Amino acid sequence: MENRKGTRLQSTERPPRILSIFHFLFSIFLLGAGCGAPGDPTPPSPPVPAAIVDLTAHQAGDGVELLFTPPAKSISGDKLASAPAVEILRGALKPSGSPDARSFRVVYTIPGALVENYRTKDQVRFTDPIAPEETKVHPGVVVAYIVRTRVSQKRASADSNVVTARVFPVPERITSLHAEVTESAIELRWAAPDHYSTGEALLSFSGYRIYRGELEPQAHEPVSRDLALSKLISPLAALGTASTNSYRDMQFEFGKTYVYVVRTLVTQDGNEIESDNSDPAPVMTLDTFPPAAPQGLVAAVLPGATPGSVVVDLSWSINLETDLAGYRVYRSEQEGTRGQLVTGDLLPTPAVRDTSVQPGHRYWYSVTAVDRTGNESAPCSPVAVDLTQPLP
């Protein structure tokens, strides 16, 4: 500005206070943008599965079978989106008999995507193999187990309850199981074992236990020794025991596909222990067995509905098969040949009247039985009917 004499003066006024505050806030914003603001979103932590509380263990062949219910929820109570991976830890006991926490090591991990392969209903069944060499050196050795699960590598669930099992030498597994389908039973045969899996001679055993499962009908792939990898409709279940190396399964149904395994039994410390599964023997039970030939065929010639006509009345004993579908009656004018069907449909009862015969002819009749699968029996003994003579 100018003074009264027209001379320009230099201004000494300061910037407004609000402008200084603006510069201060702007500089904080720039620093925050470069270093990360406290309010930035962070990814959620992966869920931690709830601990398993029902773990059990017992010897199964050359191994220990573990059974437990996998967690369905996290420790916060939320439902797990998918099955967590399972870690099996094996350890030892202290001289006092309590578990040695430092001895536990992960011996197997089941990825979450494969847990379903080991599931039996609501539980997971897994067998940890124990080397026969170990039981040979330390028969009756006690092993301890815990199980834990995890969704991510960051954090696992808490340990399960601790379980123990004693492991003894068992007979070698049976490698030659044969199955044959007969009309009344599936007959199993196998070679008796003569050694332990450790290689030592087997001096005695208490018998065999037979198991059967059901496979999917279209399971054409070879059955794996690890039946958990096979397409089972129903898991292995005990059928019974045998004192010799054979067994007849009479409780089966035609049209189903079964798989059998046999285990040898030995007694240790008063408890029965089973060997490993034998080689599995799959069986497709196709009904290729026809009914028995009908018996007792008799024929009677009777007057027909019109003058001069006749009919042949046939009857025979009823078959006893439970899957019988009906009968077929054949007629021939040449002895020794089956001829033609008297009726196109199966006869549900053991009787029929042939109204298509002609006087002056000789006929030979025979009957067969047919089951629901379509198997046809051999014909019964033929019966001859002579219509060349007039009726009395």
Side-chain angles (χ1 to χ4, degrees), residues 72-90:
K73 295 182 178 181
S74 68
I75 56 177
S76 60
D78 297 324
K79 183 177 180 180
L80 297 176
S82 59
V86 177
E87 294 178 347
I88 312 292
L89 292 86
R90 187 203 304 165

Side-chain angles (χ1 to χ4, degrees), residues 176-228:
S176 57
L177 177 61
H178 300 283
E180 180 182 359
V181 181
T182 68
E183 187 172 3
S184 58
I186 298 176
E187 298 184 353
L188 305 174
R189 298 183 306 278
W190 59 90
D194 53 12
H195 286 83
Y196 285 100
S197 60
T198 56
E200 299 171 308
L202 179 62
L203 301 179
S204 65
F205 57 92
S206 54
Y208 305 94
R209 184 165 287 127
I210 294 87
Y211 291 82
R212 186 186 74 185
E214 186 179 349
L215 292 165
E216 292 183 3
Q218 305 303 321
H220 299 300
E221 299 85 354
V223 177
S224 169
R225 273 194 60 198
D226 185 357
L227 291 176

Side-chain angles (χ1 to χ4, degrees), residues 10-222:
Q10 185 176 359
S11 174
T12 59
E13 293 181 358
R14 296 179 179 178
R17 181 180 298 274
I18 189 170
L19 186 60
S20 299
I21 295 174
F22 172 80
H23 282 291
F24 174 76
L25 294 176
F26 184 72
S27 63
I28 291 178
F29 172 78
L30 292 178
L31 289 173
C35 299
D40 283 350
T42 58
S45 299
V48 177
I52 292 168
V53 296
D54 62 347
L55 177 64
T56 61
H58 70 274
Q59 181 175 359
D62 284 311
V64 176
E65 184 178 88
L66 305 173
L67 188 67
F68 57 91
T69 303
K73 295 182 178 181
S74 68
I75 56 177
S76 60
D78 297 324
K79 183 177 180 180
L80 297 176
S82 59
V86 177
E87 294 178 347
I88 312 292
L89 292 86
R90 187 203 304 165
L93 301 182
K94 296 178 180 179
S96 63
S98 61
D100 183 356
R102 295 184 177 182
S103 68
F104 283 90
R105 299 289 185 273
V106 175
V107 293
Y108 201 87
T109 298
I110 308 175
L114 299 182
V115 168
E116 192 66 27
N117 293 339
Y118 299 92
R119 188 183 290 269
T120 302
K121 294 184 178 179
D122 295 330
Q123 292 190 300
V124 169
R125 189 185 302 272
F126 177 83
T127 300
D128 174 35
I130 306 294
E133 294 77 15
E134 186 173 345
T135 56
K136 180 179 181 179
V137 177
H138 303 288
V141 62
V142 179
V143 287
Y145 290 90
I146 57 176
V147 175
R148 62 192 181 204
T149 62
R150 63 170 72 241
V151 174
S152 74
Q153 292 299 321
K154 292 184 177 180
R155 186 178 172 188
S157 71
D159 292 341
S160 70
N161 56 303
V162 181
V163 295
T164 61
R166 297 189 69 189
V167 185
F168 295 89
V170 294
E172 60 187 347
R173 68 181 185 85
I174 295 167
T175 59
S176 57
L177 177 61
H178 300 283
E180 180 182 359
V181 181
T182 68
E183 187 172 3
S184 58
I186 298 176
E187 298 184 353
L188 305 174
R189 298 183 306 278
W190 59 90
D194 53 12
H195 286 83
Y196 285 100
S197 60
T198 56
E200 299 171 308
L202 179 62
L203 301 179
S204 65
F205 57 92
S206 54
Y208 305 94
R209 184 165 287 127
I210 294 87
Y211 291 82
R212 186 186 74 185
E214 186 179 349
L215 292 165
E216 292 183 3
Q218 305 303 321
H220 299 300
E221 299 85 354

